[in-house]
Structure formats: structure tokens, C-alpha cells
């Protein structure tokens, strides 16, 4: 018996369990004080009405012999692949239907995509980071080279001078920093990946939160990306599908490495590892792109971003450095008074009854920072922002 020994190299993930432990202990000691959660990484608004209507309609179809559906096509129903293609086209990204693979979420494909590559690759990953890129890379036996995202580089690391990467992960708009790469910056990344023969894995989970011009929604808006980039996307944050589960991955036909088509390899991989995503879920995802669906989904995103703006405004009035919150639901703040991430967590919990996420939990370079999110309730977010300003003023 041989185990995957790489699992031994994983560090214990304790961030969210530790947050819960400390919040729970506080609640027990102070049962009458209301805790407000500004650390949520999940959506909280219900599904949009047009999405629920599509779920109902498609469930009714399953009742009749004529319209019942069995196994779904393993790469997605043509109606959804075409809807995703039209969406990407509307962003200025030209992709073909057969390059789009419907998935049950971004995380599934972030883990699966590494099966296309051998072990021992060198992987460029930002620090702080969404932990999935690093953990899946470690499990696959890759070597990680960290790129610090810090104030000096505006939290947007650019390509290193030397060509040493086989794989590069970029998440824009970013979780946890809330920062997004410009068109010109992504051009540099695409040129770098192409020059090194590396593959860029672009996570666009927060694409729908972009409001500024000049910030690409898709990596395929960048010339040359077709030969070096894979895009992994999700309906989770865009349309509240964290519970329904649906996303898509784009692997261009022009993307080849070592004489092989990665599109053909991914098609093969998906064929042996999944029988597709439920029909009703794909109809629900399709509804996101209808005029009514898109309007409803945009309203929810505006709600979350108004919350984010309230938090940013409060931090600015307290003269605390922060970034994000503009093209993203996330705000990345500097802990005041030179506190560490966990010191500030405890301070904020004790003095304000507000729960956030310590930046150190996203990587060593996150030490001294703190993540807040706009995914909460609007009124509670306003209260929490006021308490935050007061707590910071007392320092
Ligand atoms: C939430 C999130 C996702 C979405 O994952 P799903 O599995 O589709 O729910 C992907 N990437 C990042 C960075 C995220 O924060």
C-alpha cells in the first residue's frame, strides 16, 4: 500500500474553526451582547426569483415522460454552454462552446485541473491567498514559489524577472485582498506565461463584482490568453449558487503543452470523472443570463457592494488603511496600532462584538491585516462599521 505522501506536507487548516471557537467562547461569556459577523465568505441573500422560477419549471419537466432527462451531457447542456459563451463574448472574450465545460463549482475544478499536469511542477501563488490553490498544489506534489501581495506592490504582484514557473494562479478580483488586475497588468502576465511556456490558471469567481472600466472580467479579453490560460469561474458569488453548485471552466482548443491539447485532455478527464451537473441546476444557471435574471442578480451584488462601501467609508474616517471593496465584496484592512491579525481579532470581538477574519490565516504576508466582507445584512453592517470606528478610536 502506498499513500499520497504529499498530504503529510499540508499544514493544518484551522482559520475558520479557530474564528468560531473564539466567537463561541465570547458568546458564552457575554450572552446578551449581539455579535455581528463581518467575516462571512458566503452569500446571504436568497436566490433571485427568475432563478427559482427556472428551477420550478425544469423540475416540472422531470415529471413528464416526454420531458424527463436522465444523464446530462458530461460537459454541460448546449443551452448553458452557449449562454456562458454569449456572456463571455459580451465582455469582449471570444471563446467557443466546446471550450466551455460546465462544472459543479470552481473548487471542484481547481482540484481537478491539476490532474492534467505531472508532479514536481513549480507553481507561482500569491500570498495571502485563497487556500485551495496552495493545498491542491501541495497534494499534487508541486513546489510553490510565493509572490507577496503587499502595500509596496499595491497587493498586485507582477511577473518575476526569471522564467521559472510551470503554473501560475491568479485570482482577480482577489479573495482576500479585494484588489483586481488592470488590462495592462494582465497583458504582462499573459506575455510572461507565454514566454515561459507556463499555464496561467485564472480564477474569475468575483468577475460580476467589477464596476470599474479597464478591469477584465475574463482572461480571454487579453490577446494571447488563448494559448496560455485556463479560466475557472463560478455562479456561487455571482448569483448565490453556493448551495446549488454550478460553475464553468474554459480550456481553449489552442492551449497546447508538450505536444498535447489541454482541451482534449480536460475533455477526457471530465468524461471519466463526472456524469455532469443536474439539469435543473443548469436551467437555473441559464436563467442568470436572461434580462430579468441578470437584473435581479445585479441588484444583489449592488446590495453587497453598498455594504462594502459602508465599511470602506468607516475605515477611511478612522484613518485606517484598507483596499478592496470596489470591484469586490472583500475589504482588506491594516490592523491598527501595529496589532497582529489575531490580536486585532480578539480586540474587535471584545470591544465591538464584531467578528472578522484574521489576515494571517490566508498566508504569512497576511499577518497584520484583517478581512472584512460585504456579504452581511445592510443594517447590521452599518452598526458594525460604527462600532469598528469607535473601537479603533479608543486605541
Ligand atoms: C468562493 C470562491 C470560489 C467559488 O467556489 P465554488 O466552489 O464555485 O463555490 C472560487 N474561488 C474563490 C477565490 C472563491 O473565494
Amino acid at each position: 500500500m502506498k499513500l499520497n505522501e504529499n498530504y503529510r506536507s499540508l499544514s493544518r487548516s484551522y482559520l475558520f474553526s479557530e474564528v468560531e471557537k473564539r466567537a463561541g467562547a465570547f458568546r458564552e461569556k457575554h450572552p446578551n451582547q449581539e455579535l455581528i459577523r463581518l467575516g462571512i465568505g458566503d452569500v446571504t441573500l436568497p436566490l433571485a426569483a427568475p432563478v427559482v422560477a427556472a428551477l420550478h419549471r425544469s423540475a416540472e419537466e422531470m415529471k413528464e415522460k416526454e420531458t424527463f432527462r436522465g444523464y446530462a451531457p458530461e460537459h454541460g447542456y448546449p443551452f448553458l454552454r452557449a449562454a456562458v459563451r454569449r456572456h463571455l463574448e459580451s465582455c469582449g472574450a471570444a471563446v467557443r462552446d466546446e471550450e466551455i465545460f460546465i462544472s459543479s463549482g470552481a473548487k471542484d475544478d481547481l482540484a481537478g485541473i491539476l490532474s492534467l499536469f505531472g508532479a514536481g511542477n513549480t507553481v507561482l501563488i500569491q500570498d495571502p491567498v485563497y487556500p485551495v490553490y496552495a493545498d491542491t498544489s501541495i497534494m499534487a506534489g508541486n513546489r510553490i514559489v510565493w509572490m507577496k501581495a503587499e502595500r509596496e506592490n499595491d497587493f498586485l504582484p507582477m511577473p518575476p524577472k526569471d522564467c521559472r514557473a510551470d503554473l501560475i494562479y491568479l485570482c482577480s478580483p482577489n479573495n482576500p485582498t479585494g484588489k483586481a488586475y488592470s488590462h495592462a497588468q494582465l497583458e504582462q502576465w499573459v506575455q510572461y506565461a507565454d514566454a515561459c511556456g507556463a499555464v496561467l490558471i485564472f480564477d474569475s469567481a468575483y468577475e460580476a463584482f467589477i464596476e470599474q472600466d479597464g478591469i477584465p472580467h475574463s482572461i480571454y479579453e487579453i490577446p494571447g490568453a488563448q494559448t496560455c490560460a485556463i479560466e475557472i469561474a463560478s455562479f456561487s458569488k455571482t448569483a448565490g449558487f453556493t448551495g446549488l453548485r454550478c460553475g464553468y471552466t474554459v480550456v481553449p482548443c489552442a492551449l497546447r503543452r508538450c505536444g498535447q491539447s489541454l482541451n482534449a485532455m480536460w475533455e477526457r478527464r471530465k468524461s471519466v470523472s463526472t456524469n455532469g451537473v443536474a439539469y435543473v441546476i443548469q436551467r437555473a444557471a441559464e436563467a442568470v443570463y436572461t434580462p430579468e435574471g441578470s437584473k435581479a442578480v445585479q441588484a444583489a451584488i449592488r446590495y453587497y457592494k453598498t455594504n462594502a462601501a459602508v465599511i470602506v467609508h468607516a475605515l477611511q474616517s478612522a484613518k485606517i488603511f484598507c483596499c478592496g471593496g470596489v470591484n469586490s465584496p472583500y475589504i482588506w484592512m491594516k490592523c491598527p496600532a501595529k496589532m497582529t491579525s489575531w490580536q486585532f481579532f480578539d480586540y474587535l470581538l471584545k470591544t465591538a462584538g464584531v467578528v472578522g477574519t484574521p489576515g494571517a490565516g490566508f498566508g504569512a504576508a497576511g499577518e497584520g491585516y484583517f478581512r472584512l466582507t460585504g456579504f452581511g445584512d445592510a443594517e447590521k453592517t452599518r452598526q458594525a462599521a460604527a462600532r469598528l470606528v469607535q473601537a479603533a478610536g479608543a486605541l
Side-chain angles (χ1 to χ4, degrees), residues 41-42 103-110 129-133 170-176 203-206 232-237 241-243 245-248 330 371 375:
D42 194 356
S103 72
S104 43
K107 209 188 226 183
D108 306 50
D109 277 4
L110 282 165
V129 72
Y130 179 58
V132 174
Y133 315 145
L170 294 183
C171 175
S172 177
N174 190 268
N175 176 12
D203 183 338
S204 67
Y206 296 95
I232 297 186
S234 171
F235 294 96
S236 282
K237 314 302 170 15
F241 275 50
T242 50
R245 311 301 308 140
C246 195
Y248 62 87
Y330 296 116
R371 192 191 76 174
F375 282 130

Side-chain angles (χ1 to χ4, degrees), residues 46-102:
L47 290 169
V51 169
V52 176
L55 281 171
H56 278 295
R57 271 197 313 273
S58 49
E60 286 299 317
E61 287 179 42
M62 293 300 226
K63 205 167 74 178
E64 308 295 336
K65 201 165 184 200
E66 293 70 32
T67 48
F68 166 77
R69 313 272 179 142
Y71 282 128
E74 55 223 340
H75 306 311
Y77 278 102
F79 64 79
L80 184 54
R81 294 177 101 179
V84 169
R85 190 242 312 140
R86 285 192 299 271
H87 165 66
L88 291 173
E89 275 169 1
S90 76
C91 302
V95 299
R96 303 209 303 267
D97 292 15
E98 65 268 29
E99 298 176 320
I100 298 164
F101 297 83
I102 304 304

